[in-house]
Amino acid sequence: MIGFQILQRRRAVDTATAERFKQLPVANVSDNMARMYSGGAHLRPMHNGKPMSGPAITVRCRPGDNLLVHKALEVASAGDVIVVDAGGDLTNAIIGEIMVAYAKKRGLAGIVINGAIRDSEEIGRGDFPVFAAGVTHRGPYKDGPGEINVTVSLNGMTIEPGDLIIGDSDGILCVPFDMTTEVYQHTVKKHADEGKTLAEIDADRYDPSWVDARLRSLGCPL
């Protein structure tokens, strides 16, 4: 039944790929995806900033209702990231301390909520990755409907079950399943190049002449 269904995930990014991406800044990955993909700047880390990386278990739920999120905690495997499209509504919290504790106990890699959480102080002291759009003390309902392992969209960023979800202090990003190898290779080079630039700045060898060259190419008088 559309709107009330639990589907099987047909594919998922492997553990080794998820671990490799965990070593790279989300900003560098984003640069190598043409800066075109984002789950929205309001999806912020609610934990202590530990990086997150893992394949998505997707959930679409009615705003303010977390019945299918509870089921997703059972469906998910160790290393998975539960991604919840709750419509961005902040009226009722979708998860709190108890659900986070259970997710951590089951070995999940993180939770993303396009909606609100509660127990923010307790979650904030912990290292289990939780990204959300806001905080409210008002709890959720458990009536459904909802869907698990369907395509979801967080503020225009489409996520398929099994896609790679990464997050750090700058926010979250989805790397599509079929793009992980290419994006990783380009991001490793980007990260290394930025390391060289930082070393040049530290050694007083940084050359900013590219700025004027760029301005001239755009027709800006200097």
Side-chain angles (χ1 to χ4, degrees):
M1 175 182 177
I2 294 177
F4 213 170
Q5 58 182 338
I6 300 168
L7 305 178
Q8 295 292 320
R9 189 173 62 183
R10 295 190 300 272
R11 63 183 188 179
V13 169
D14 61 80
T15 301
T17 297
E19 285 299 314
R20 285 196 295 270
F21 269 88
K22 192 182 289 185
Q23 314 307 315
L24 298 171
V26 171
N28 285 169
V29 181
S30 179
D31 285 347
N32 285 284
M33 295 178 66
R35 305 181 178 96
M36 290 287 290
Y37 295 81
S38 173
H42 65 287
L43 288 173
R44 307 302 306 156
M46 298 292 173
H47 59 297
N48 68 6
K50 179 181 177 181
M52 176 185 72
S53 182
I57 290 283
T58 61
V59 183
R60 180 184 292 119
C61 63
R62 184 166 59 88
D65 191 291
N66 74 354
L67 178 61
L68 271 292
V69 182
H70 278 279
K71 182 60 179 177
L73 289 174
E74 303 296 326
V75 170
S77 301
D80 285 343
V81 175
I82 293 179
V83 180
V84 182
D85 177 8
D89 183 81
L90 304 181
T91 306
N92 296 81
I94 298 298
I95 65 167
E97 179 185 14
I98 290 176
M99 294 178 75
V100 168
Y102 186 53
K104 183 175 182 179
K105 186 69 173 178
R106 297 210 63 235
L108 303 190
I111 301 177
V112 177
I113 306 287
N114 191 17
I117 67 163
R118 65 178 182 176
D119 304 322
S120 59
E121 182 177 353
E122 292 78 8
I123 291 172
R125 287 198 300 261
D127 63 357
F128 183 82
V130 176
F131 293 78
V135 176
T136 179
H137 56 80
R138 295 177 59 173
Y141 299 98
K142 295 172 174 60
D143 303 312
E147 299 175 301
I148 294 177
N149 284 329
V150 297
T151 302
V152 298
S153 178
L154 305 188
N155 304 297
M157 185 174 71
T158 301
I159 302 169
E160 300 279 355
D163 283 350
L164 180 66
I165 305 298
I166 58 175
D168 62 17
S169 56
D170 284 338
I172 70 154
L173 179 64
C174 172
V175 184
F177 180 90
D178 293 327
M179 293 175 59
T180 55
T181 299
E182 178 184 357
V183 171
Y184 178 78
Q185 292 172 346
H186 287 295
T187 303
V188 167
K189 182 180 184 304
K190 169 74 172 177
H191 191 44
D193 288 344
E194 288 197 355
K196 293 176 183 177
T197 300
L198 289 170
E200 290 171 354
I201 292 172
D202 188 57
D204 292 325
R205 291 188 288 105
Y206 177 65
D207 180 10
S209 60
W210 69 269
V211 178
D212 283 353
R214 178 61 173 160
L215 288 170
R216 290 190 187 94
S217 72
L218 294 171
C220 178
L222 298 175

